[in-house]
Amino acid sequence: MTGPLVLAIPTFNCARFLPQTLESLAAQGEAVRWWLQDGASKDDTADIARRFARHGDTVVSERDHGQSDALNKAFARMGGEIVGFINGDDCLAPGAAAAVLETFDRRPEIDLVYGEVEWIDAAGTQTGVHKGNISSLEELLDIYTVWFGARQWVQPEVFFRRSLWEKAGPFSLDYDLAFDYAFWVQCMLAGARVLRLSRPLARFRLHEQQKSTNAAKAAEELREIVGKALALYPPISRQARARLIAQINYDLYHLAPPPKPAFAKALLRNPSWLRSPAVRQRLLGSMRLPGSMRLPGSQRRGI
């Protein structure tokens, strides 16, 4: 069997949940080894990691420029043919590493494997299950109906060959919240062949201290990443590309602070917006509400 699975763990002040993360990796046996890249934490993160480290595990604590920088440092030195990364507050599901390695052995043509995710709370109690489903660049770029439509990949459930990282990487330093999404786009643009496993591979912790709770900033970064990818004329349908560009341009208008032109005037200047489902819904709403071109926020999509 190809292995072990080598995981990067970028951390900064993760002492609260890190023991559970490392216990979940130890439970995978010899199928996992890890490289913890700590950003000079001010708590006990590095000491905890050293206590859990087994032969082949590595702990490095040094200043970095954020999560992407930490990952790039780890990936450059940690080795491994099959790799991935996990946060210091998330866990691998039981048996996940063996299932991932077996899949890559059995399917040598596959570059990236993802599965299902169990949501857990701060206490580690399971609160739900997520089942993403993305198989193409076009689906990945369609943040409005696919990514925001609960078909997204959740970072610790995704594993890939080092050869894909060498072809698609490194991780971009331009994004704080959506750097993982930017990397998945880079992978797809590099021609990654992906496979979904119908089983939980990771346990993603939802808690009040995680940075990914800033939904508005994450959406802003996603739109920027998609816009840059579309500017490359990627191999997706012309119809999908036109619809996504129209939706992003409408979002930029809608989210812009005043003063800005009235919606009707802006639409006349940008007829391509009619490709956007959100714009068409807004127009239909205005027909039902004479004298108003504005719908309540709960009735608008993609903004």
Side-chain angles (χ1 to χ4, degrees):
M1 178 181 290
T2 301
L5 171 64
V6 182
L7 295 178
I9 313 174
T11 59
F12 183 72
N13 293 343
C14 291
R16 178 182 177 188
F17 298 115
L18 186 61
Q20 295 173 53
T21 298
L22 299 181
E23 285 170 0
S24 78
L25 303 188
Q28 311 289 321
E30 296 303 313
V32 167
R33 70 177 178 85
W34 47 262
W35 181 294
L36 186 135
Q37 187 74 33
D38 180 61
S41 289
K42 303 181 186 305
D43 62 6
D44 295 331
T45 294
D47 291 336
I48 291 170
R50 293 186 185 101
R51 290 200 300 270
F52 275 88
R54 305 163 298 171
H55 177 71
D57 299 331
T58 302
V59 180
V60 176
S61 185
E62 59 189 14
R63 292 186 181 275
D64 57 46
H65 298 289
Q67 205 167 358
S68 295
D69 186 39
L71 285 170
N72 287 333
K73 289 182 176 183
F75 271 76
R77 294 181 280 177
M78 71 186 193
E81 181 180 346
I82 308 300
V83 296
F85 57 104
I86 189 169
N87 298 317
D89 53 1
D90 300 326
C91 300
L92 278 194
V100 167
L101 292 172
E102 189 276 333
T103 300
F104 278 112
D105 270 345
R106 180 170 46 84
R107 299 291 300 272
E109 79 281 8
I110 295 300
D111 302 300
L112 182 150
V113 166
Y114 68 100
E116 300 173 2
V117 172
E118 296 174 346
W119 304 122
I120 58 175
D121 61 17
T125 302
Q126 183 176 337
T127 59
V129 176
H130 171 76
K131 300 181 181 182
N133 190 3
I134 296 174
S135 59
S136 68
L137 174 63
E138 186 166 316
E139 290 177 334
L140 183 64
L141 293 178
D142 191 351
I143 53 175
Y144 297 100
T145 58
V146 176
W147 197 265
F148 296 153
R151 288 174 54 189
Q152 80 276 20
W153 291 344
V154 181
Q155 169 260 311
E157 67 169 317
V158 183
F159 307 90
F160 43 95
R161 296 188 189 275
R162 171 166 287 275
S163 58
L164 178 61
W165 180 79
E166 291 170 347
K167 188 161 48 172
F171 296 94
S172 174
L173 303 184
D174 295 335
Y175 306 105
D176 181 40
L177 299 178
F179 70 90
D180 50 351
Y181 178 79
F183 179 68
W184 310 142
V185 171
Q186 292 166 215
C187 288
M188 288 297 205
L189 287 170
R193 294 156 295 186
V194 308
L195 180 68
R196 180 181 183 275
L197 298 186
S198 298
R199 58 158 293 158
L201 294 180
R203 311 187 79 208
F204 189 91
R205 194 183 305 274
L206 301 170
H207 60 94
E208 70 283 354
Q209 295 177 347
Q210 64 191 152
K211 69 177 186 178
S212 57
T213 54
N214 190 339
K217 182 179 180 181
E220 178 183 350
E221 292 185 358
L222 289 170
R223 284 191 294 269
E224 181 178 331
I225 294 164
V226 172
K228 288 182 177 180
L230 294 174
L232 300 174
Y233 291 91
I236 66 173
S237 70
R238 293 178 60 185
Q239 181 181 10
R241 183 175 181 275
R243 176 174 55 81
L244 287 169
I245 290 174
Q247 181 66 70
I248 290 172
N249 289 338
Y250 170 66
D251 280 3
L252 294 177
Y253 160 80
H254 176 77
L255 296 170
K260 58 186 177 182
F263 171 66
K265 182 179 293 186
L267 180 59
L268 287 174
R269 295 175 181 173
N270 300 275
S272 65
W273 286 3
L274 290 172
R275 297 179 182 270
S276 163
V279 171
R280 293 198 298 270
Q281 184 178 7
R282 184 168 180 173
L283 284 172
L284 288 173
S286 69
M287 295 174 186
R288 300 188 192 103
L289 301 173
S292 173
M293 295 294 287
R294 186 184 300 270
L295 286 176
S298 63
Q299 297 182 43
R300 295 192 299 267
R301 295 181 56 203
I303 49 180

